[in-house]
Amino acid sequence: MKNALDVIVTLVGALLVAVGFNMFLIPHQLLSGGVSGIAMIIGYFTDWDISFLYFIFNLPLLFWGLIKLGRRFIIISVLSVVLTVWLMQLIPTSYVAQAPILGAVFGGVLIGIGSGITLRIGGSSAGFDIVGSILTRRYDFPLGTVLSALNGVVIIALGYYKQNWDLALYSMLAIYISGKVVDTIHIRHVKVTAFIVTKQKDELIKRLLQLPRGVTLVKTEGAYTNQQHDMLMTVTTRYELVELKRIIKELDPKAFVNIVETVGVLGEFRKPK
């Protein structure tokens, strides 16, 4: 059921990205930034198929993501790229909005939502999303901000080679809006603390220590039963909370879990290597 839902979400995300490309950005020769932006620049100047270039340029990043981010992430990301390329072949490249600024705004919103929901289920729409995901696992800052910074060089290239800085500024607006929408949906940088009272301490610790966060074991006593219990405490992100809940439900469905939002974290947040 969970895998079927992931496929559906990935399909919806790919559809939104493909619509944003073909019906809002490409007709106005605007960029989405990142790998897709590079594919668009080359496509604008050579008339090569942008969806094909998008696929080819993503291959090395997908391989890097497989090494750094894990198998599940890359499976979803590969599916997202394949679906996006396929849908770009089906969806006509035509104007929906005549004004470039409307194309930039609505294209940015659609691409941001499509990328954000794919990131939310543990994958990505590939491109600089993979680079940003790797960086935000090592350093703690919003992913959308990272993507906007990485995309800046692509925008400068468009303005320089096209000698049309209006297109560059409209593209910058699309990327900014897309980044903000991704940050709203993705929430990787929002911290939470989970307190888990469990009878499956050893199994849970073994699985939780495979995650990039540390775990603290606390001995507790029930006030009503006077029974000794084990409580695990871990600080994670709202994004990684999905995986944490899945592990707890799988190993100890009867565990008592209290999750609270964390205002700030001092000291080592990542698990020491």
Side-chain angles (χ1 to χ4, degrees):
M1 182 64 182
K2 178 65 166 60
N3 291 336
L5 181 60
D6 287 347
V7 171
I8 293 172
V9 172
T10 305
L11 175 60
V12 172
L15 177 61
L16 292 173
V17 170
V19 170
F21 286 169
N22 279 15
M23 305 189 80
F24 289 94
L25 298 189
I26 294 177
H28 293 289
Q29 294 202 329
L30 302 178
L31 302 181
S32 65
V35 169
S36 57
I38 296 171
M40 288 175 184
I41 286 181
I42 295 176
Y44 295 155
F45 282 99
T46 64
D47 290 329
W48 290 356
D49 187 270
I50 293 175
S51 61
F52 174 74
L53 293 170
Y54 174 73
F55 177 76
I56 294 298
F57 292 158
N58 270 305
L59 289 179
L61 293 177
L62 289 168
F63 181 73
W64 186 27
L66 177 62
I67 298 172
K68 294 292 186 178
L69 300 174
R71 182 171 171 268
R72 183 178 184 275
F73 179 93
I74 289 304
I75 288 175
I76 296 176
S77 301
V78 168
L79 179 61
S80 175
V81 170
V82 171
L83 287 172
T84 301
V85 171
W86 175 61
L87 289 167
M88 287 179 70
Q89 297 293 324
L90 298 179
I91 297 170
T93 303
S94 59
Y95 289 95
V96 169
Q98 295 293 326
I101 190 169
L102 293 178
V105 170
F106 286 96
V109 169
L110 290 175
I111 294 167
I113 295 174
S115 300
I117 62 175
T118 308
L119 286 161
R120 187 71 179 266
I121 63 171
S124 79
S125 54
F128 280 1
D129 286 356
I130 292 179
V131 179
S133 294
I134 293 172
L135 292 177
T136 53
R137 287 201 174 192
R138 185 172 181 84
Y139 306 102
D140 184 34
F141 37 63
L143 179 58
T145 304
V146 178
L147 298 182
S148 295
L150 291 172
N151 289 328
V153 65
V154 181
I155 298 301
I156 294 173
L158 175 68
Y160 178 77
Y161 286 109
K162 279 282 188 179
Q163 289 299 304
N164 186 336
W165 292 101
D166 284 349
L167 291 180
L169 293 174
Y170 286 137
S171 297
M172 190 177 298
L173 175 62
I175 292 171
Y176 176 79
I177 292 173
S178 177
K180 287 299 180 182
V181 173
V182 166
D183 277 345
T184 301
I185 297 173
H186 187 233
I187 59 173
R188 179 183 290 278
H189 58 289
V190 177
K191 310 295 183 301
V192 295
T193 299
F195 300 93
I196 310 160
V197 180
T198 178
K199 294 182 180 180
Q200 306 295 330
K201 175 195 69 175
D202 294 334
E203 291 85 351
L204 270 174
I205 288 178
K206 182 178 179 181
R207 288 289 295 279
L208 294 180
L209 287 178
Q210 295 175 7
L211 302 177
R213 312 300 173 199
V215 182
T216 299
L217 173 62
V218 182
K219 294 294 183 179
T220 62
E221 180 179 321
Y224 179 74
T225 62
N226 293 322
Q227 293 182 353
Q228 299 293 319
H229 297 283
D230 294 309
M231 183 175 74
L232 306 179
M233 184 191 77
T234 183
V235 180
T236 186
T237 65
R238 284 277 298 276
Y239 170 76
E240 292 164 338
L241 186 59
V242 176
E243 178 68 10
L244 178 64
K245 288 180 177 179
R246 188 188 66 79
I247 292 173
I248 296 170
K249 186 176 181 180
E250 176 186 330
L251 297 181
D252 189 3
K254 295 184 178 180
F256 175 79
V257 184
N258 180 30
I259 299 169
V260 296
E261 187 162 326
T262 301
V263 175
V265 178
L266 300 177
E268 188 69 43
F269 176 53
R270 283 184 58 85
K271 181 178 64 182
K273 295 183 179 180

